[in-house]
Amino acid sequence: SAVISQKPSRDICQRGTSLTIQCQVDSQVTMMFWYRQQPGQSLTLIATANQGSEATYESGFVIDKFPISRPNLTFSTLTVSNMSPEDSSIYLCSVEDRVQGATNYGYTFGSGTRLTVV
Amino acid sequence: RKEVEQDPGPFNVPEGATVAFNCTYSNSASQSFFWYRQDCRKEPKLLMSVYSSGNEDGRFTAQLNRASQYISLLIRDSKLSDSATYLCVVRGLDMRFGAGTRLTVKP
């Protein structure tokens, strides 16, 4: 299965600043996904990052707040802009990955970025 | 109504116990179904896919009932290392995650 390197693993940031999270995949993938997981909550999809086109954002998430780059098929960044304490969360990138021994596709995740905004 | 709903838990069971988790989903067009495991402060990792015919992987058995839009996970002979949060995941046009069921297996 795909291996994803995500960094930073954690950060504590001042409100009003921005943080860029990076994900590097060990294989070429068409789509990369960015999720947010708040404490005790399920994963919420922020956006889908496609190489060569604008990211597709889910309802409630906008490009000005969460700009995404996808310069090639193995790399993507998510920026959390003008941060407030409400942005404190875990941010995860993921890629579609064939399930071993099966014909269907699940998702493999990066190790996550634990963000605290103070 | 949430797209994927799970037993909230927590489930606290002794070692060796059998425990079952349930999940329902709202999108009847969903195509693929999974259970993921998430350890504390870690990313979710695929535990197993779920098929209509039911499937087993060692001590873990997953079942899917498409008519009822219901998924289950059964863990037999629980181990301490099974302690984690179990996420029900449903795929239609994209992946939708349940909030997870927390399991603690105690000695």
Side-chain angles (χ1 to χ4, degrees):
Chain A
S1 59
V3 176
I4 305 175
S5 173
Q6 181 173 347
K7 50 185 177 182
S9 58
R10 59 176 63 235
D11 209 340
I12 301 173
C13 301
Q14 296 289 328
R15 67 175 69 201
T17 63
S18 298
L19 175 72
T20 296
I21 302 167
Q22 301 180 5
C23 274
Q24 178 77 51
V25 190
D26 68 344
S27 57
Q28 294 185 337
V29 293
T30 305
M31 293 186 291
M32 293 180 72
F33 306 92
W34 288 98
Y35 283 86
R36 181 172 74 182
Q37 187 177 29
Q38 294 179 310
Q41 304 293 316
S42 63
L43 282 75
T44 300
L45 181 64
I46 298 171
T48 302
N50 305 298
Q51 197 272 330
S53 64
E54 292 253 336
T56 305
Y57 288 83
E58 296 298 304
S59 175
F61 298 96
V62 295
I63 188 171
D64 289 345
K65 176 67 176 177
F66 297 101
I68 286 172
S69 78
R70 186 78 203 279
N72 57 54
L73 290 173
T74 64
F75 187 80
S76 180
T77 68
L78 170 77
T79 299
V80 186
S81 303
N82 188 25
M83 288 183 284
S84 66
E86 291 71 34
D87 294 320
S88 298
S89 188
I90 298 171
Y91 293 84
L92 295 142
C93 63
S94 70
V95 301
E96 193 175 46
D97 208 1
R98 181 182 287 275
V99 176
Q100 190 173 12
T103 58
N104 58 346
Y105 287 81
Y107 282 11
T108 294
F109 289 86
S111 54
T113 297
R114 184 176 296 272
L115 171 63
T116 302
V117 183
V118 298
Chain B
R1 182 186 173 191
K2 294 180 182 177
E3 292 193 46
V4 181
E5 296 204 58
Q6 295 184 238
D7 287 345
F11 285 69
N12 298 305
V13 303
E15 269 188 293
T18 295
V19 60
F21 304 142
N22 303 316
C23 170
T24 57
Y25 61 96
S26 61
N27 183 359
S28 60
S30 299
Q31 301 158 357
S32 302
F33 309 87
F34 308 90
W35 283 102
Y36 274 69
R37 170 188 171 133
Q38 187 172 23
D39 292 291
C40 187
R41 298 178 179 271
K42 299 286 189 180
E43 74 275 20
K45 292 185 178 178
L46 179 66
L47 177 65
M48 60 196 302
S49 298
V50 188
Y51 303 110
S52 297
S53 55
N55 50 300
E56 190 173 304
D57 183 2
R59 297 181 293 108
F60 299 83
T61 300
Q63 295 277 354
L64 166 65
N65 184 321
R66 284 187 182 268
S68 302
Q69 295 180 201
Y70 172 92
I71 304 162
S72 66
L73 176 68
L74 183 77
I75 305 175
R76 292 181 301 277
D77 189 22
S78 300
K79 310 292 185 190
L80 297 176
S81 57
D82 293 334
S83 297
T85 297
Y86 291 83
L87 305 175
C88 176
V89 184
V90 174
R91 180 169 189 169
L93 294 177
D94 56 26
M95 300 282 266
R96 297 290 168 173
F97 292 80
T101 301
R102 185 167 180 175
L103 171 67
T104 301
V105 181
K106 299 186 175 181

